[in-house]
Amino acid sequence: MSLVVLKLGGSVVTDKDEPETVDEEGLAAAADAVATLAESGRVVVVHGGGSFGHHHAAEHGVSSESGSHDARGVRAIHDAMKRLNDAVLDALADRGVSALPVHPLSAGAREADGSLSLPLAATETMLDEGFVPVLHGDVIAHAGKGATIVSGDDLVVSLASGLGADRVGLCSTVPGVLDAGGDVIPEITAFADAADALGGSESTDVTGGMAAKVRKLLALGAPAHVFGPEGLSAFVAGESPGTVIRGE
Ligand code: IP8
């Protein structure tokens, strides 16, 4: 059965301007989409931090680069993400989806060079048993740094390559990867297709954002679709909203 990995950006399911506030409308639309996907295949959901994780991460000085050994601070970030994860699980349960949490803090770690190690036994067995695993951006133990942030996008890459996903969807508030004129680039098959708009190759990993995302998605063995909330139903229908990133 086909496997879809779908990332719901934090800005889609939360109100980014209000601390710890779910965007009920955004979450409902996203949960409807997951319910439809789950009817016809296997789905792994990943959600971002939005106004839950990022606010606490900033308060405790933790980022994907800067770590912390303060367990209280690490727990504050993780607990906020668990509250958002509960809201996502509840919305899915309300639609009859057998969704279960997988918390990256308890499942994986980063090596000293920042690379993510995410054992997949829990996620894989859940899928085999008909569940929909729901992971989230989190704080995670990082060799030599205490704990740092792992973004939902990093999790998507590990999950999609480790589980052999057939399709990947990244739903955020941008309608796709934009060119220098602000228009959506329909297809990217090599970094050069988007390099001008993304600021070339040197600055990419420092600035992170879309350039780093495109690089990682090009390395996947599956097409990755980057789209906004208005593209969700098209993605669910097997269409290609926004930008498709297809490494060769
Ligand atoms: O929103 C970050 O996940 P993202 C999660 O996918 C935290 O970057 C804990 C800030």
Side-chain angles (χ1 to χ4, degrees):
M1 226 196 311
S2 74
L3 173 66
V4 174
V5 175
L6 177 63
K7 156 103 193 266
L8 302 171
S11 52
V12 174
V13 294
T14 76
D15 177 347
K16 272 202 132 173
D17 300 326
E18 291 293 322
E20 297 209 21
T21 306
V22 170
D23 179 334
E24 299 291 350
E25 236 175 82
L27 177 56
D32 286 344
V34 174
T36 307
L37 282 172
E39 278 168 17
S40 59
R42 299 183 304 153
V43 193
V44 177
V45 177
V46 179
H47 63 80
S51 61
F52 285 75
H54 290 282
H55 160 76
H56 290 277
E59 198 173 308
H60 294 279
V62 181
S63 69
S64 54
E65 299 295 321
S66 305
S68 171
H69 287 90
D70 169 21
R72 277 186 195 280
V74 171
R75 282 181 53 205
I77 301 164
H78 178 65
D79 289 350
M81 288 308 302
K82 283 200 296 189
R83 288 192 283 278
L84 176 55
N85 188 245
D86 272 339
V88 174
L89 293 166
D90 284 344
L92 291 170
D94 288 348
R95 287 156 178 83
V97 178
S98 304
L100 288 179
V102 176
H103 302 301
L105 173 61
S106 308
R110 272 193 208 276
E111 291 167 34
D113 67 1
S115 57
L116 175 64
S117 152
L118 185 70
L120 296 173
T123 304
E124 213 160 12
T125 307
M126 285 178 191
L127 285 170
D128 290 345
E129 294 303 311
F131 296 108
V132 172
V134 184
L135 294 88
H136 51 86
D138 204 353
V139 69
I140 197 166
H142 187 147
K145 290 192 175 185
T148 57
I149 300 297
V150 62
S151 76
D153 290 347
D154 288 336
L155 297 167
V156 165
V157 171
S158 288
L159 289 161
S161 53
L163 298 169
D166 298 287
R167 293 175 84 214
V168 175
L170 295 119
C171 179
S172 73
T173 42
V174 285
V177 182
L178 306 181
D179 66 17
D183 292 322
V184 172
I185 303 172
E187 184 175 36
I188 296 175
T189 55
F191 192 77
D193 295 350
D196 283 354
L198 298 175
S201 54
E202 295 311 319
S203 58
T204 53
D205 286 347
V206 191
T207 50
M210 196 57 93
K213 186 144 90 173
V214 167
R215 270 189 190 291
K216 287 176 191 161
L217 297 174
L218 276 169
L220 286 182
H225 301 264
V226 177
F227 51 88
E230 68 290 338
L232 252 180
S233 46
F235 176 76
V236 166
E239 294 162 19
S240 195
T243 301
V244 58
I245 299 172
R246 218 189 285 275
E248 290 179 331

